[in-house]
Amino acid sequence: MDSKKQQDLALFRFALIAPLVNETYEAVSKSQYFRDIASKSHTLPDGKTIQFSPATIKKWFLAYRHKGFEALMPKSRLDIGTPRNLDSNAISKILELKGFYPYITGTLIYHKLIEEGYVKENKTSLATVLRYIRDNNLKRKQIAPIDRRAFEMEFANDCWQSDTTHGPVIKVKGQKKQAYLITFLDDASRLILHGEFFFNDNAVNMQTVFKKAISKYGLPKRLFVDNGKTYKNDQLGLICASLGIELLHTKVYSPESKGKIERSYRTIKDNWMNGINWNDYESLDELNTDFNKYLNEKYTNIIHSSIETTPRARYIKDIDRIKFIPAEELDNHFLHRVARKVNNDATIQLLCNQFEVPAKYIGQKINVRYSPIDLDKAFIFNKDNKIVDVVYPLKRVDNSKVKRNVIDYFKINGGR
């Protein structure tokens, strides 16, 4: 099994045990939780539907508690016994179509899959698609009405939400640039844990904000985000699994699910953003300085109508329940994880940058971790999740000056 499939299955396993890891499960006991999960069918990353025994789920939980996320990585092939005529892309498309058109027929889905190149008619039958829809409760009569009841977490850090909104267009060195605001909000207190403007709405910037929020306000038990590429990617899943955070995504085409953070954006725009002269700003630093001033002096300390107190006061009420994490340890959890095969010249590539690794790894596949915003060094990890080497960007000029060990054949031959 390749490393990507191993990683996907490990993330799938963590999603099942995450409520146990952060103690958010609603069953009367852990044993009952194991039984509840075992009673349901689950869809593997490759689309196969399967059920697990309570003992299997318990084994995963104990392994994670003992050795962390790496203990969930499978040791055998992922695709044994799995039909391959519906791959993960086709299944994602089926779910997308059902999310957007709840009453679309299975036959029409099948024809759309063929038309858009997700399946080939000579390899995947209509019966296969209909069977998947039936077995995964996606038929029209099986789809339950969406429950839109309002909810609120009991304690601070029980659940965080994150999202992005368009900010102002500011002029930097004579060039107009669109700014984007990424924020994290605590569900129970409505506190904005950290917010920051960027010129790009991408996964790295989102994770930067996430890390800063944790460093200031501790670990959340759950993170609730949408399905955009900024929020749905392997690295975010790995970060959350490493920290023991349950990662939840909204249902496709269901913006109502993130009502609290959408409401916070409306407040920010009404009370601050729409009343500022954006021509006064010449950099993101200036923009972020003023935004943080607004958060600290006004937003955080104004009584919120839903909770009838200020976000800061509501958060502080639960301060004794909050778990904080040392800065160095937090840095390690946010390293990106990739597998790389070492080239014959003892180099690997990370984000278009070449790194030099010890020659002993030539030809081998190694596990590497690095910070996407600080490529001064990277780390090689072994199978026991321990750092075995630190590697640095390739410096060709310096290498040309290194004195090589030259074999003296004259001495070997006894002077002859």
Side-chain angles (χ1 to χ4, degrees):
M1 187 194 310
D2 63 39
S3 57
K4 178 65 168 62
K5 290 182 178 178
Q6 288 180 312
Q7 177 180 290
D8 288 346
L9 187 54
L11 288 171
F12 166 82
R13 291 173 174 177
F14 177 77
L16 294 185
I17 64 170
L20 291 170
V21 173
N22 53 47
E23 297 184 348
T24 58
Y25 62 94
E26 297 180 356
V28 295
S29 66
K30 288 185 174 67
S31 296
Q32 184 60 49
Y33 180 83
F34 296 140
R35 291 192 291 270
D36 291 344
I37 296 299
S39 68
K40 302 174 183 177
S41 295
H42 304 278
T43 303
L44 294 172
D46 63 0
K48 180 182 178 182
T49 300
I50 193 171
Q51 283 186 285
F52 303 101
S53 69
T56 296
I57 300 164
K58 181 179 181 180
K59 180 183 71 174
W60 294 340
F61 170 63
L62 295 176
Y64 181 92
R65 192 166 64 177
H66 182 55
K67 293 186 177 180
F69 177 73
E70 280 66 27
L72 300 179
M73 301 285 276
K75 302 299 188 294
S76 59
R77 286 178 51 221
L78 176 61
D79 57 355
I80 294 176
T82 301
R84 299 180 182 179
N85 44 14
L86 270 183
D87 63 17
S88 58
N89 290 327
I91 289 170
S92 295
K93 186 61 179 179
I94 292 173
L95 296 175
E96 178 185 328
L97 288 169
K98 270 294 183 180
F100 196 65
Y101 307 107
Y103 300 113
I104 190 173
T105 65
T107 301
L108 183 54
I109 287 177
Y110 176 65
H111 291 309
K112 283 184 174 291
L113 291 176
I114 294 172
E115 290 170 4
E116 298 181 29
Y118 287 93
V119 300
K120 294 183 178 180
E121 189 172 5
N122 62 345
K123 290 187 177 180
T124 304
S125 67
L126 171 61
T128 297
V129 174
L130 295 178
R131 188 182 308 113
Y132 179 83
I133 291 172
R134 180 200 65 202
D135 292 344
N136 289 275
N137 298 321
L138 295 174
K139 294 179 70 174
R140 180 169 62 180
K141 64 182 180 181
Q142 294 172 319
I143 298 176
I146 299 175
D147 190 344
R148 300 285 190 202
R149 287 179 295 179
F151 68 91
E152 181 174 290
M153 292 294 126
E154 184 177 4
F155 300 108
N157 282 18
D158 274 0
C159 182
W160 288 3
Q161 296 185 22
S162 181
D163 203 1
T164 305
T165 191
H166 281 71
V169 175
I170 64 175
K171 188 175 288 187
V172 180
K173 296 181 179 179
Q175 183 180 359
K176 291 184 177 180
K177 290 191 173 185
Q178 173 69 60
Y180 300 89
L181 176 60
I182 303 175
T183 64
F184 279 74
L185 176 137
D186 176 58
D187 186 279
S189 66
R190 310 302 200 274
L191 181 69
I192 292 181
L193 308 143
H194 187 70
E196 194 167 334
F197 285 96
F198 299 90
F199 288 136
N200 293 292
D201 174 23
N202 59 35
V204 171
N205 289 338
M206 176 268 179
Q207 291 162 25
T208 297
V209 179
F210 189 24
K211 182 179 176 182
K212 290 180 179 180
I214 292 176
S215 69
K216 292 191 293 186
Y217 291 101
L219 284 174
K221 293 182 177 180
R222 305 179 184 91
L223 176 60
F224 193 46
V225 293
D226 67 22
N227 287 275
K229 62 182 180 180
T230 297
Y231 298 92
K232 194 168 188 179
N233 54 78
D234 289 344
Q235 295 301 336
L236 179 60
L238 290 167
I239 290 168
C240 287
S242 177
L243 289 165
I245 299 169
E246 182 179 4
L247 180 59
L248 304 170
H249 289 92
T250 61
K251 292 184 180 296
V252 179
Y253 305 110
S254 181
E256 300 88 346
S257 303
K258 299 188 281 83
K260 294 186 182 70
I261 197 162
E262 295 288 354
R263 181 65 181 85
S264 75
Y265 281 140
R266 191 160 79 244
T267 299
I268 290 169
K269 291 178 178 180
D270 289 347
N271 295 343
W272 178 70
M273 193 182 297
N274 294 339
I276 296 297
N277 182 1
W278 300 120
N279 294 320
D280 293 341
Y281 297 96
E282 297 180 350
S283 70
L284 282 179
D285 287 341
E286 294 177 1
L287 184 59
N288 282 315
T289 296
D290 274 8
F291 176 61
N292 283 316
K293 183 178 180 181
Y294 160 73
L295 283 184
N296 293 326
E297 294 181 0
K298 294 184 179 179
Y299 182 96
T300 303
N301 295 303
I302 293 176
I303 293 178
H304 194 289
S305 59
S306 295
I307 58 176
E308 299 180 346
T309 186
T310 68
R312 186 185 301 278
R314 177 62 189 84
Y315 178 85
I316 292 175
K317 178 182 176 183
D318 296 329
I319 194 66
D320 291 340
R321 304 177 59 90
I322 306 302
K323 178 183 177 182
F324 290 89
I325 185 168
E328 184 177 352
E329 185 180 339
L330 185 60
D331 288 343
N332 291 335
H333 284 293
F334 272 82
L335 294 175
H336 281 202
R337 308 177 183 205
V338 295
R340 290 288 186 269
K341 186 174 181 179
V342 180
N343 299 320
N344 290 334
D345 59 356
T347 63
I348 59 173
Q349 188 163 299
L350 299 174
L351 297 182
C352 299
N353 295 277
Q354 281 192 302
F355 279 71
E356 189 169 23
V357 304
K360 63 184 178 181
Y361 294 114
I362 289 176
Q364 298 182 37
K365 182 172 282 190
I366 58 176
N367 295 313
V368 184
R369 300 186 192 181
Y370 67 95
S371 168
I373 60 174
D374 181 10
L375 287 172
D376 289 340
K377 59 185 175 182
F379 308 92
I380 300 176
F381 279 70
N382 63 15
K383 293 181 180 179
D384 296 323
N385 198 31
K386 304 293 184 183
I387 296 177
V388 291
D389 281 291
V390 181
V391 297
Y392 301 91
L394 176 65
K395 296 181 179 179
R396 295 183 185 276
V397 174
D398 289 352
N399 284 349
S400 70
K401 300 176 182 178
V402 174
K403 185 175 181 179
R404 310 294 179 180
N405 293 324
V406 180
I407 300 175
D408 190 337
Y409 289 99
F410 184 77
K411 291 183 180 180
I412 294 176
N413 293 324
R416 293 192 298 274

